[in-house]
Amino acid sequence: KRRPLSKCGMEPGGGDASLTLRGLQNRSHGKIKLRKRKSTLYFSTQEKSARRRGDLLGENIYLVLFTIALRILNCFLVQTSFVPDEYWQSLEVSHHMVFNNYGYLTWEWTERLRSYTYPLLFASIYKILHLLGKDSVQLLIWIPRLAQALVSAVADVRLYSLMKQLENQEVARWVFFCQLCSWFTWYCCTRTLTNTMETVLTIIALFYYPLEGSKSMNSVKYSSLVALAFIIRPTAVIPWTPLLFRHFCQEPRKLDLILHHFLPVGFVTLSLSLMIDRIFFGQWTLVQFNFLKFNVLQNLGTFYGSHPWHWYFSQGFPVILGTHLPFFIHGCYLAPKRYRILLVTVLWTLLVYSMLSHKEFRFIYPVLPFCMVFCGYSLTHLKTWKKPALSFLFLSNLFLALYTGLVHQRGTLDVMSHIQKVCYNNPSESSASIFIMMPCHSTPYYSHVHCPLPMRFLQCPPDLTGKSHYLDEADVFYLNPLNWLHREFHDDASLPTHLITFSILEEEISAFLISSNYNRTAVFFHTHLPEGRIGSHVYVYERKLKGKFNTKMKF
């Protein structure tokens, strides 16, 4: 009786079937190659770590190196002055800390309104250069700025990483583009300003802030960065107030957040600040309270100028945004609700600063990166007009960045190079002395000369005694410059060898220059937009002594 055939068409016990089974058994003992998955979900830990070796700061190494290279180029293409604080609240203080045999501290340090924490960063660099015997004046000028450029580059990369987490690579790319081509960011991000460091720390802290969709949230890290920003510049508390309040409201374990995160971080950073200031002031000082008391409670900042309440909305904010403004407005309409807290932070900051009489562009610089988020979101959703919009945004900001960085207000820096030559190229002129007849703090000082050359400038401390009709030395000088000079320098022995002033003053003091044998020896372009006490050029006058003839030079 025949057995039924199997499904293969072979008899179960037949020879062919046994060969087939034996072949399958032999194959089972061999290695079977499986196709490898390319998805990162299937990568082993070793493979993932190998892939990360090509990364830097969690991003592609080429992106990071490009950003660093761009900010270094940015640093060298900013050769103009902005505000006195970029020298007098950082480099001049650092120079005094390391080379205390000569230097100058403004009244803010004698009144203990500023913390030594930020200048200590540059003082450390100065000390290392000094110990290595490399403390040339050019290195003292450029190394701190390059350090600031490097930190700003890290902040740019962090902003890109944050947007890639919150959205996608396309949105992150356009936010990154807006950040890099912002003319005001280009103008400020390599300057040694406390506002610059405040902005940098704010961006990096935002990377760790618990925004919806963020994968890098860390309460200790972001609160530490915010606390450090507050120590460097107490006004950092203004933009972070709504952000901290939102985090507190959304946190389910509120007591744990305060007791285990905010309080320990605040205690450590404030203790560090107190110890640093105790060392350099010689007494325990809470400079953050003194700063807020002077600028907010007493509102003495109005001594340096005041503006109407709407200035930030009508001028300040539109100017620093520049041609980004229409994209910012467009992005505000398109952005999801989770970005509403960033917009609230921008508006809150503008409103708070509007209540203070003394206003400056740099005060609202820390919220500019928040605005770039909305600008990038706008560019992402542009379809028809994207290429013309990108060209317009890039070229308009490029012009502003290069003009303000290379042309506008450069004379007060160029003249310091001339003073360096007076000290270093003429060692026989040991009796040389400099008098700067400009609005006070118009130029840097010993940090840009690094030579114990006797120098003097017109003083302008605010009235801390409550006098009704107070005039500082600069105000008294500009009331009648000619009489002031004749009264101050009553004999030849008291006359400085070099006078430095803006061109606008030359006609008014020409009688003094002629009678005291001063010749104009150098001219430096300063600005196309002279106003008030600031002229278009900086003039250098040198006193003609017996047996010496001067040659007129123009730069």
Side-chain angles (χ1 to χ4, degrees), residues 94-124:
S94 304
H95 192 276
H96 186 271
M97 292 165 70
V98 178
F99 310 101
N100 55 8
N101 55 330
Y102 61 98
Y104 185 87
L105 295 179
T106 61
W107 65 271
E108 290 170 292
W109 299 91
T110 57
E111 295 294 327
R112 303 192 301 277
L113 296 181
R114 302 281 183 173
S115 174
Y116 277 97
T117 306
Y118 185 56
L120 183 61
L121 169 66
F122 304 123
S124 303

Side-chain angles (χ1 to χ4, degrees), residues 170-179 376 379-380 386 390:
E170 184 184 7
V171 177
R173 189 184 300 120
W174 294 123
V175 172
F176 188 62
F177 170 80
C178 291
Q179 172 73 1
L379 289 177
T380 305
K386 180 171 283 190
L390 292 176

Side-chain angles (χ1 to χ4, degrees), residues 244-455:
L244 292 170
F245 182 73
R246 173 189 176 273
H247 184 195
F248 177 77
C249 290
Q250 293 188 342
E251 176 61 44
R253 297 178 297 176
K254 293 179 173 55
L255 189 61
D256 183 65
L257 178 68
I258 294 174
L259 294 179
H260 295 93
H261 294 88
F262 289 171
L263 284 181
V265 165
F267 176 77
V268 171
T269 51
L270 191 60
S271 299
L272 179 64
S273 173
L274 284 169
M275 287 188 288
I276 291 173
D277 293 327
R278 172 68 177 83
I279 293 171
F280 293 101
F281 281 125
Q283 56 184 300
W284 293 106
T285 306
L286 188 61
V287 294
Q288 290 76 23
F289 173 74
N290 293 343
F291 180 89
L292 293 173
K293 177 183 175 183
F294 178 87
N295 289 284
V296 179
L297 301 179
Q298 297 177 340
N299 200 23
L300 293 176
T302 54
F303 179 79
Y304 294 106
S306 61
H307 297 82
W309 69 268
H310 57 78
W311 185 83
Y312 280 118
F313 292 96
S314 60
Q315 297 180 52
F317 188 63
V319 166
I320 71 166
L321 264 180
T323 51
H324 283 75
L325 182 59
F327 301 96
F328 169 73
I329 296 172
H330 181 231
C332 289
Y333 284 103
L334 295 176
K337 289 183 178 180
R338 65 174 177 271
Y339 294 121
R340 192 173 294 169
I341 182 61
L342 300 182
L343 183 58
V344 168
T345 301
V346 173
L347 294 175
W348 163 264
T349 304
L350 294 177
L351 285 171
V352 172
Y353 275 118
S354 294
M355 291 187 289
L356 300 176
S357 298
H358 181 58
K359 300 175 176 64
E360 294 186 38
F361 293 109
R362 61 190 174 103
F363 290 170
I364 56 174
Y365 176 35
V367 298
L368 187 58
F370 291 46
C371 302
M372 296 301 110
V373 173
F374 298 97
C375 295
Y377 214 87
S378 170
L379 289 177
T380 305
H381 289 79
L382 284 181
K383 303 300 180 185
T384 308
W385 297 95
K386 180 171 283 190
K387 288 185 178 180
L390 292 176
S391 300
F392 166 72
L393 199 59
F394 176 75
L395 293 175
S396 59
N397 280 273
L398 179 66
F399 170 76
L400 283 170
L402 293 179
Y403 179 77
T404 56
L406 295 173
V407 180
H408 181 60
Q409 295 186 169
R410 67 170 300 137
T412 51
L413 288 182
D414 290 340
V415 75
M416 300 311 290
S417 300
H418 184 74
I419 295 176
Q420 293 169 21
K421 296 174 184 177
V422 171
C423 188
Y424 290 101
N425 294 350
N426 300 287
S428 60
E429 294 188 16
S430 56
S431 60
S433 58
I434 310 292
F435 181 36
I436 303 172
M437 297 186 298
M438 293 178 171
C440 66
H441 307 131
S442 292
T443 66
Y445 216 45
Y446 284 107
S447 67
H448 282 57
V449 177
H450 194 49
C451 173
L453 184 69
M455 294 198 294

Side-chain angles (χ1 to χ4, degrees), residues 12-149:
D16 290 339
S18 62
L19 286 173
T20 303
L21 291 172
R22 196 178 299 116
L24 290 173
Q25 288 174 356
N26 291 336
R27 288 182 63 188
S28 66
H29 291 293
K31 293 183 178 179
I32 300 175
K33 294 183 179 180
L34 298 176
R35 181 172 59 89
K36 291 186 177 180
R37 302 267 187 178
K38 293 185 179 181
S39 172
T40 55
L41 295 173
Y42 297 90
F43 283 156
S44 65
T45 305
Q46 292 83 0
E47 288 172 321
K48 286 181 180 179
S49 62
R51 285 173 65 87
R52 290 195 188 102
R53 288 172 194 164
D55 293 348
L56 187 62
L57 297 175
E59 293 297 337
N60 182 280
I61 190 170
Y62 296 109
L63 174 75
V64 178
L65 292 178
F66 166 77
T67 310
I68 293 173
L70 182 68
R71 288 307 179 203
I72 291 175
L73 177 66
N74 184 171
C75 179
F76 288 113
L77 290 181
V78 174
Q79 302 173 18
T80 56
S81 62
F82 180 24
V83 290
D85 280 9
E86 64 182 302
Y87 316 112
W88 292 93
Q89 305 304 337
S90 54
L91 300 187
E92 294 302 330
V93 182
S94 304
H95 192 276
H96 186 271
M97 292 165 70
V98 178
F99 310 101
N100 55 8
N101 55 330
Y102 61 98
Y104 185 87
L105 295 179
T106 61
W107 65 271
E108 290 170 292
W109 299 91
T110 57
E111 295 294 327
R112 303 192 301 277
L113 296 181
R114 302 281 183 173
S115 174
Y116 277 97
T117 306
Y118 185 56
L120 183 61
L121 169 66
F122 304 123
S124 303
I125 296 173
Y126 283 179
K127 190 65 177 180
I128 293 171
L129 292 174
H130 178 61
L131 292 174
L132 295 175
K134 301 295 183 181
D135 55 325
S136 66
V137 64
Q138 292 302 320
L139 288 180
L140 294 183
I141 293 172
W142 289 104
I143 295 296
R145 290 199 54 202
L146 286 169
Q148 187 66 68

